[in-house]
Amino acid sequence: MTKLLIIGSVAAGTSVGAKARRNSEDLQITIYDKDTDISYSGCGIPYYVGGEVADIDELTPRNAVWFKKRYNIDIHTQHEVLSINHEAKTAEILNLMTNETFTDSYDTLVLATGATSFVPPIPGVEADNVFSVRNIRNAGEIRTYIDQHQPKHVTIVGGGFIGLEMAEQLKYKGLEVTLIERLPQVMPPLDLDMAERVARHLQEKGVKLLTGQTVQSLYDGERVSTVQLESGQTIETDLVILSVGIRPNTKLAKGIGVEIGSTGAIKVNKKMQTNVPDVYAVGDVAESFSLITGKPIYRPLGSTANKTGRIAGQVITGEEAEHRGILGSGIFKVFDLTVAQTGLTEREAVEEGYEIEVLHNIKPDRPEYLGGKEMVIKAIADRNTGKLLGAQIVGPQGVDKRIDVFVTAISFGAKAEDLFHLDLAYAPPFATTKDPVMYTGMALHNSISKKAPLITPQQLVREIENGEAFQIIDTRSNAQFEKAHVKGAVHIPLGDLRTRASELNPDLKTVVYCNKGVTGNAAQNILINHGFKVVYNLSGGNKNYQHVVNNE
Amino acid sequence: MTKLLIIGSVAAGTSVGAKARRNSEDLQITIYDKDTDISYSGCGIPYYVGGEVADIDELTPRNAVWFKKRYNIDIHTQHEVLSINHEAKTAEILNLMTNETFTDSYDTLVLATGATSFVPPIPGVEADNVFSVRNIRNAGEIRTYIDQHQPKHVTIVGGGFIGLEMAEQLKYKGLEVTLIERLPQVMPPLDLDMAERVARHLQEKGVKLLTGQTVQSLYDGERVSTVQLESGQTIETDLVILSVGIRPNTKLAKGIGVEIGSTGAIKVNKKMQTNVPDVYAVGDVAESFSLITGKPIYRPLGSTANKTGRIAGQVITGEEAEHRGILGSGIFKVFDLTVAQTGLTEREAVEEGYEIEVLHNIKPDRPEYLGGKEMVIKAIADRNTGKLLGAQIVGPQGVDKRIDVFVTAISFGAKAEDLFHLDLAYAPPFATTKDPVMYTGMALHNSISKKAPLITPQQLVREIENGEAFQIIDTRSNAQFEKAHVKGAVHIPLGDLRTRASELNPDLKTVVYCNKGVTGNAAQNILINHGFKVVYNLSGGNKNYQHVVNNE
């Protein structure tokens, strides 16, 4: 019988085995994993540490017995594959419980070796109260440490989504939290202006945020009590959590000549095959590729691990299947905010050479009379084709729905104009008559078609700095104008614009704005219809401008 | 200046005016409405009656002054258009406040006359305590009546979504509720098996449900105290709410020779033009068409009214625009359930002549360790093309997201297999690693490709009744089997199936099942891989079977 050997038993490895068995009973399937837990939800770890998930067993619902019974798969945990001889098609395995070594053979090999939290090489990382966020065992250690030592202050190093989720959970647990991020922003998959909305929320919730700061060392031997930053600043602390990213475990792969891609993860084709015949790579150890650009990207996530595992299982058993690539979609909850993104950011789109159109759309998720709350959607489209390239959304509710509609639309190559036509399900408890997604498409399309061009606050500031002359019109009420307005703006309320348009110079570049963008568009149309040559609507209105320019 | 005359100032009429003005300042735009309120949220009415929306003004945020200031549109409420002379292009209008009649003229006419609640011609409907759910004024009357008379019991006639929303809201307000529906099921846009899930929930919440019953008369003159059914049954009541559907207001249209479609609403082309030159129809008075079949359908909804209004506004001002049709998407909340549907039901798909594949997918919206709760997705695909035709979802949370993903996918002509590849945004507070939508696509595709065919409980029962022989295998635990199982099933737990497969006849049609479907699929694969010729997995497992067959 053909032998399938899988190294790694978390999401991807078990998906390969399960799918292969579903397709065929004529395979011997064996999985080795050096860890103790299998098929677990790594993404649930912050919620276990924080206590929202009471029992660790909830994150590990399945064990080796279950897999044997259901799929006739032999899973051996605490078994480390030490080396592979691919010419002989054998693997040398160490049983970590008995310390015995033995050899197994295979016809097909799947590398599902995952990734490991990167531990920065700084003094002190080995101390008792310094933890990575890594796996189930280690999650238990963090929670036990907190329960036993009752730390008052935690320092989290790394502002990606795991760092932010840990910040939330430990704050809920009553700890003071300081979060340190080397980059100038939290959440690098977001554009700076959107990341700043997240940063502000963290600060409102009492998290002390230090961006653009690097840890130099952790003091005091066995137990760290001081974090020393390169800037010279020091932080007194009782606990340190490291979440500075993960690195694919490629050692075994390299040992048999498997090619590593530009991202540092294993290079695979759409069938999840490596360059070495009969060797597949799936999950966090393999790179993926962008559905938009076709280029390799590395975004390790449980959902992608499941997907690539299933595809490998199909291919291995002779079923036609190909990975179609990912959009790099991500979502997380941090205190009262949901933060989500898919596709390209503005920064990435520009780097890829797209001529882009950018919209900031500020809209409630449902009517305010039924508790609707504003979300900010930043959407990016290709000016030449009209195609949507990406979306980022920050808001208190309804964000997960809108990002998945964007994901689905972008997957099918949607143009901005297509969004208006979607017959999304409408009722007041769930949406507005024109859903925020539809509105985003309408405004982007109007801008792309040059009917109603948009300008972002950043673009406006940049062009003014470059000496470009603009007349800027604030169309809001007097009180709103007095409170805060765009630098250099003149005040003409919308109701007066038709009669006072003659006060303005129709040949001068004009920017109109309101509070969030809709009235600005109405004003823009009036001026365009009065023969003004170039009229921009300020994307996201004064609200977005004050956020971006004055950080308010 | 060209004159645009719009009759009707709710969602559609105001959308026409706003879009026309956004595109052009060279139009005189006038709207007449015989009612007092404009641009209101009719869908919010049940929440005002129930008190969730405190103030009626929240449903009518805009008035004529606002429209004049922003869009330079003249809206005249309490002005009824009595007749139109389309040869002269004039309209005769009655000012309901002064009782004066005058004539206005137009170049382009838009009929946005909406629809009116149908009042069944039965004795008693004119009584003081009998109300339709119609408009803002009438919503106020219902609420006032309840506040003043403190009725203890309400009878709601009609089990569409407005009837169900009213049932919920009035139950919350403390009334006893009896709901009467002429058809054998509530919510006709759902298949019977899904509607029964809603019916059961209503009953659990204490709503007395009488389906397949018709009201004969309402007794007792000025104030109704007894509802008499055709079956002879009588119901003592203090208040009657009629929600038996609405009829398009086509009288003015008919007066000028505008063609009425097969649905009873005005027939329009994709540009919202009627058969009469320079006459458009939008919103609830116009029919729409199915994105899937291309055939006319009538599904009056605020979202579609906004959409068709905007399209007419574009066309009238010379912009290229076409309505792409609707999926008939709908969603509503009733107590703890969300109920949603889009595209074709099983019944409709069969009527349209499709060969279909049907799946019942029972899955939590997110991991149970973070509060996930099961939803039931019923999805229908075309067996010949693999294309998705429709979806119905019932569940306590996360339903609105999944239906909108289906809406978006179906709008782009998605096949079942496409759903697995979507890079939906995953994190435990929002979804499972394989989202229920992805799982639906996988199982449907496996069935269509004949790898793992599905059979619905209804089909199974029907085929057995037709004399077809099946061996039926229950793969669950002994305790589960003892509690309730499919009639005629033999019990072979999944873990024993590989060794006990030889007890079965591989040439006999076989049906396997588990609790919800996933383990059934594993069992199905084992038997197929053991050479069994025809093996079905029971759609939705024993849970769905007991619901459908034994109404449990």
Side-chain angles (χ1 to χ4, degrees):
Chain A
M1 199 180 264
T2 309
K3 289 177 77 174
L4 170 60
L5 186 75
I6 300 166
I7 309 178
S9 69
V10 189
T14 52
S15 288
V16 177
K19 187 64 198 175
R21 177 61 78 224
R22 280 174 186 268
N23 278 354
S24 169
E25 290 285 315
D26 301 325
L27 263 178
Q28 185 184 319
I29 307 177
T30 309
I31 308 185
Y32 293 106
D33 198 303
K34 64 179 199 289
D35 214 329
T36 47
D37 300 294
I38 68 177
S39 186
Y40 62 79
S41 170
C43 306
I45 288 177
Y47 304 99
Y48 171 69
V49 173
E52 262 187 59
V53 175
D55 191 340
I56 196 81
D57 290 346
E58 296 181 62
L59 300 184
T60 55
R62 292 164 186 179
N63 57 25
V65 175
W66 187 90
F67 272 94
K68 180 66 184 174
K69 206 168 125 179
R70 188 186 191 91
Y71 292 120
N72 190 23
I73 295 173
D74 296 296
I75 303 189
H76 304 281
T77 56
Q78 294 185 262
H79 279 66
E80 183 176 1
V81 176
L82 299 174
S83 65
I84 299 162
N85 179 341
H86 192 59
E87 277 173 33
K89 289 200 163 178
T90 59
E92 199 192 359
I93 296 135
L94 170 65
N95 179 334
L96 293 168
M97 295 171 290
T98 63
N99 228 16
E100 286 170 318
T101 304
F102 62 98
T103 300
D104 199 356
S105 66
Y106 62 85
D107 297 289
T108 304
L109 178 69
V110 177
L111 300 167
T113 44
T116 304
S117 307
F118 176 65
V119 177
I122 47 176
V125 292
E126 298 300 333
D128 278 1
N129 61 343
V130 178
F131 296 91
S132 297
V133 183
R134 204 162 45 200
N135 55 27
I136 293 291
R137 198 184 58 235
N138 144 279
E141 288 167 5
I142 301 174
R143 187 153 140 176
T144 303
Y145 186 91
I146 292 171
D147 290 347
Q148 286 178 354
H149 297 274
Q150 301 287 329
K152 288 199 172 48
H153 180 277
V154 58
T155 301
I156 296 172
V157 185
F161 69 90
I162 293 177
L164 299 187
E165 286 170 349
M166 289 297 286
E168 174 203 79
Q169 289 293 313
L170 293 176
K171 192 80 199 168
Y172 283 158
K173 236 178 141 69
L175 279 78
E176 286 173 54
V177 179
T178 299
L179 193 141
I180 300 165
E181 167 59 50
R182 192 174 47 82
L183 297 173
Q185 69 172 72
V186 294
M187 279 308 292
L190 298 179
D191 281 322
L192 178 63
D193 62 319
M194 296 300 277
E196 280 178 353
R197 294 179 182 274
V198 182
R200 192 172 314 157
H201 188 66
L202 285 166
Q203 287 161 334
E204 283 165 8
K205 292 295 175 180
V207 172
K208 193 162 174 206
L209 195 58
L210 299 171
T211 50
Q213 295 273 16
T214 308
V215 176
Q216 191 171 59
S217 66
L218 308 171
Y219 269 74
D220 294 355
E222 204 169 302
R223 205 163 286 165
V224 170
S225 64
T226 310
V227 177
Q228 171 78 51
L229 302 182
E230 284 184 4
S231 63
Q233 192 178 342
T234 58
I235 300 154
E236 303 300 304
T237 201
D238 308 313
L239 175 64
V240 177
I241 304 280
L242 301 173
S243 58
V244 293
I246 63 174
R247 301 284 183 273
N249 299 322
T250 53
K251 199 180 138 205
L252 285 171
K254 286 174 181 162
I256 55 169
V258 165
E259 190 178 344
I260 305 303
S262 56
T263 66
I266 295 175
K267 189 171 176 176
V268 287
N269 64 17
K270 290 179 180 176
K271 294 180 180 301
M272 307 315 297
Q273 294 162 325
T274 69
N275 62 312
V276 177
D278 302 321
V279 179
Y280 294 73
V282 295
D284 290 358
V285 77
E287 59 183 26
S288 191
F289 64 98
S290 163
L291 192 59
I292 297 177
T293 68
K295 295 181 183 173
I297 47 176
Y298 182 61
R299 292 279 172 90
L301 260 188
S303 47
T304 305
N306 264 310
K307 198 174 277 167
T308 56
R310 183 173 187 265
I311 292 167
Q314 291 176 298
V315 173
I316 288 165
T317 50
E319 189 179 347
E320 205 55 56
E322 282 198 345
H323 186 33
R324 297 191 188 169
I326 61 173
L327 290 170
S329 310
I331 190 167
F332 68 101
K333 189 179 89 63
V334 60
F335 298 103
D336 308 334
L337 273 192
T338 303
V339 183
Q341 109 290 336
T342 191
L344 305 182
T345 59
E346 180 181 2
R347 188 182 60 232
E348 290 166 340
V350 168
E351 280 167 11
E352 290 290 336
Y354 288 99
E355 280 186 67
I356 57 168
E357 210 59 54
V358 177
L359 170 73
H360 296 81
N361 181 25
I362 305 176
K363 284 282 180 309
D365 65 307
R366 54 182 187 256
E368 274 143 348
Y369 65 75
L370 279 184
K373 289 179 184 169
E374 275 181 1
M375 64 175 78
V376 181
I377 300 178
K378 179 175 180 175
I380 293 110
D382 179 343
R383 198 180 286 165
N384 295 311
T385 63
K387 279 193 178 181
L388 292 165
L389 297 174
Q392 299 159 65
I393 316 182
V394 175
Q397 57 194 24
V399 170
D400 62 325
K401 172 159 79 174
R402 274 66 186 204
I403 203 72
D404 276 357
V405 172
F406 275 108
V407 166
T408 308
I410 295 174
S411 295
F412 287 97
K415 295 182 176 184
E417 62 183 291
D418 295 329
L419 299 180
F420 164 72
H421 293 278
L422 294 175
D423 186 20
L424 299 171
Y426 163 65
F430 305 102
T432 48
T433 43
K434 278 199 198 87
D435 191 85
V437 170
M438 294 168 66
Y439 203 93
T440 301
M442 287 158 56
L444 267 179
H445 176 59
N446 280 342
S447 185
I448 291 167
S449 67
K450 311 275 184 222
K451 284 180 58 72
L454 294 158
I455 190 166
T456 65
Q458 296 95 322
Q459 280 176 299
L460 178 61
V461 169
R462 208 180 309 129
E463 294 204 20
I464 290 173
E465 282 172 2
N466 291 342
E468 196 73 52
F470 287 93
Q471 58 191 347
I472 305 174
I473 322 293
D474 186 317
T475 65
R476 300 173 302 152
S477 70
N478 201 43
Q480 288 175 310
F481 180 78
E482 292 297 332
K483 204 174 161 204
H485 59 259
V486 172
K487 199 178 159 193
V490 298
H491 180 229
I492 305 180
L494 182 77
D496 301 341
L497 192 59
R498 286 182 175 87
T499 48
R500 291 180 57 190
S502 57
E503 295 172 19
L504 301 166
N505 178 356
D507 298 320
L508 194 58
K509 276 193 180 177
T510 305
V511 173
V512 293
Y513 69 90
C514 59
N515 215 29
K516 292 179 272 182
V518 181
T519 300
N521 175 242
Q524 178 181 33
N525 288 319
I526 292 171
L527 294 182
I528 290 170
N529 293 329
H530 273 79
F532 281 58
K533 286 191 182 142
V534 180
V535 187
Y536 294 103
N537 185 14
L538 185 64
S539 181
N542 185 63
K543 227 171 173 171
N544 189 40
Y545 177 91
Q546 297 302 337
H547 164 71
V548 170
V549 176
N550 297 328
N551 208 22
E552 267 165 22
Chain B
M1 201 182 260
T2 308
K3 289 178 78 175
L4 170 60
L5 186 74
I6 301 166
I7 309 178
S9 69
V10 191
T14 53
S15 288
V16 177
K19 187 64 197 176
R21 176 61 78 224
R22 280 174 186 268
N23 278 354
S24 169
E25 289 286 313
D26 301 325
L27 264 178
Q28 185 185 320
I29 306 176
T30 309
I31 307 185
Y32 293 106
D33 198 302
K34 64 178 196 290
D35 213 328
T36 48
D37 300 294
I38 67 176
S39 185
Y40 61 78
S41 170
C43 306
I45 287 176
Y47 305 98
Y48 171 70
V49 173
E52 261 186 60
V53 175
D55 191 340
I56 196 79
D57 291 345
E58 297 181 62
L59 300 184
T60 54
R62 292 165 185 177
N63 58 25
V65 174
W66 187 90
F67 272 93
K68 180 66 184 172
K69 207 168 125 180
R70 189 186 189 91
Y71 292 119
N72 190 25
I73 295 174
D74 296 296
I75 303 188
H76 305 282
T77 57
Q78 294 186 263
H79 279 67
E80 182 176 1
V81 176
L82 299 175
S83 65
I84 299 160
N85 179 342
H86 191 59
E87 277 173 32
K89 290 201 164 176
T90 58
E92 197 193 357
I93 296 135
L94 169 65
N95 180 334
L96 295 166
M97 295 171 288
T98 63
N99 228 17
E100 286 170 318
T101 304
F102 63 98
T103 300
D104 200 355
S105 66
Y106 61 85
D107 297 289
T108 304
L109 178 69
V110 177
L111 300 167
T113 44
T116 303
S117 307
F118 176 65
V119 177
I122 48 176
V125 292
E126 298 300 333
D128 277 1
N129 60 342
V130 178
F131 296 91
S132 297
V133 184
R134 205 162 45 199
N135 56 28
I136 293 291
R137 197 185 58 237
N138 143 279
E141 288 166 7
I142 301 174
R143 187 153 142 178
T144 302
Y145 186 90
I146 293 172
D147 290 346
Q148 287 179 356
H149 297 274
Q150 302 286 330
K152 289 200 170 47
H153 180 277
V154 59
T155 301
I156 297 172
V157 185
F161 69 90
I162 292 177
L164 300 186
E165 286 169 348
M166 290 298 286
E168 174 204 81
Q169 289 293 312
L170 294 176
K171 192 81 196 165
Y172 284 158
K173 237 177 140 69
L175 279 77
E176 286 173 52
V177 180
T178 299
L179 194 140
I180 300 165
E181 167 60 48
R182 193 174 46 82
L183 297 174
Q185 69 172 74
V186 295
M187 278 308 292
L190 298 179
D191 279 323
L192 178 61
D193 63 319
M194 297 299 278
E196 279 178 353
R197 294 178 182 276
V198 181
R200 191 171 314 156
H201 187 68
L202 285 165
Q203 287 161 333
E204 283 165 7
K205 293 293 174 178
V207 173
K208 191 160 177 209
L209 195 57
L210 300 171
T211 49
Q213 296 273 16
T214 307
V215 176
Q216 192 172 58
S217 66
L218 307 171
Y219 270 72
D220 293 357
E222 204 171 301
R223 204 165 286 167
V224 169
S225 63
T226 310
V227 177
Q228 171 78 51
L229 303 182
E230 285 184 2
S231 63
Q233 192 179 342
T234 58
I235 300 153
E236 303 300 303
T237 200
D238 309 312
L239 175 65
V240 177
I241 304 281
L242 301 173
S243 56
V244 293
I246 63 175
R247 300 286 182 274
N249 299 321
T250 53
K251 198 180 138 208
L252 285 172
K254 287 173 180 163
I256 56 169
V258 165
E259 190 179 344
I260 305 302
S262 55
T263 66
I266 295 176
K267 188 170 176 177
V268 287
N269 63 16
K270 292 181 180 176
K271 294 182 179 301
M272 308 314 296
Q273 293 162 325
T274 70
N275 63 312
V276 176
D278 301 323
V279 180
Y280 295 73
V282 295
D284 291 357
V285 78
E287 61 182 25
S288 191
F289 64 97
S290 162
L291 192 58
I292 296 177
T293 67
K295 295 181 183 173
I297 48 177
Y298 183 61
R299 292 278 172 92
L301 260 188
S303 47
T304 304
N306 265 308
K307 197 174 277 167
T308 55
R310 183 173 186 264
I311 291 166
Q314 291 176 299
V315 173
I316 288 166
T317 51
E319 190 179 345
E320 205 55 57
E322 283 198 344
H323 186 31
R324 296 190 188 170
I326 61 172
L327 290 171
S329 310
I331 189 166
F332 67 99
K333 190 179 89 64
V334 60
F335 298 103
D336 308 335
L337 274 192
T338 303
V339 183
Q341 111 288 338
T342 191
L344 304 182
T345 59
E346 179 181 2
R347 187 181 64 234
E348 289 167 338
V350 169
E351 281 168 12
E352 290 291 336
Y354 287 99
E355 281 187 65
I356 56 167
E357 209 59 55
V358 177
L359 170 74
H360 295 80
N361 181 25
I362 304 177
K363 284 281 181 309
D365 65 308
R366 54 180 187 258
E368 274 142 349
Y369 67 73
L370 279 185
K373 289 179 183 168
E374 275 181 1
M375 64 175 80
V376 182
I377 301 178
K378 177 173 180 177
I380 292 111
D382 179 344
R383 198 181 285 165
N384 295 311
T385 63
K387 278 194 179 181
L388 292 164
L389 296 175
Q392 298 159 66
I393 316 181
V394 174
Q397 55 194 26
V399 170
D400 62 323
K401 173 160 79 175
R402 273 67 185 203
I403 203 72
D404 276 358
V405 172
F406 276 107
V407 166
T408 308
I410 294 174
S411 296
F412 287 98
K415 296 182 175 185
E417 62 182 290
D418 296 330
L419 298 180
F420 165 71
H421 292 277
L422 293 175
D423 187 21
L424 299 170
Y426 163 64
F430 305 102
T432 48
T433 44
K434 278 201 198 86
D435 191 86
V437 171
M438 293 168 66
Y439 203 93
T440 301
M442 286 159 55
L444 268 180
H445 176 58
N446 280 342
S447 185
I448 291 166
S449 67
K450 311 273 184 224
K451 284 180 60 71
L454 293 159
I455 191 165
T456 64
Q458 296 95 322
Q459 280 176 298
L460 178 61
V461 169
R462 210 179 309 128
E463 294 204 20
I464 290 172
E465 282 171 2
N466 290 343
E468 196 74 52
F470 286 94
Q471 57 190 347
I472 306 175
I473 322 294
D474 186 317
T475 65
R476 299 172 302 152
S477 70
N478 202 43
Q480 287 175 311
F481 181 78
E482 292 297 334
K483 204 174 161 205
H485 59 258
V486 172
K487 199 179 159 191
V490 298
H491 180 227
I492 305 180
L494 182 77
D496 302 340
L497 192 59
R498 285 184 176 85
T499 48
R500 292 180 55 190
S502 57
E503 297 172 20
L504 301 167
N505 178 355
D507 298 319
L508 194 59
K509 275 193 180 176
T510 305
V511 173
V512 294
Y513 70 89
C514 59
N515 216 27
K516 290 178 273 180
V518 180
T519 299
N521 175 239
Q524 178 180 32
N525 289 319
I526 291 170
L527 294 182
I528 290 170
N529 293 329
H530 274 77
F532 279 59
K533 286 190 184 142
V534 179
V535 187
Y536 293 103
N537 185 16
L538 186 64
S539 182
N542 184 63
K543 225 171 175 171
N544 189 40
Y545 177 90
Q546 297 302 338
H547 164 71
V548 170
V549 176
N550 296 329
N551 208 21
E552 267 164 21

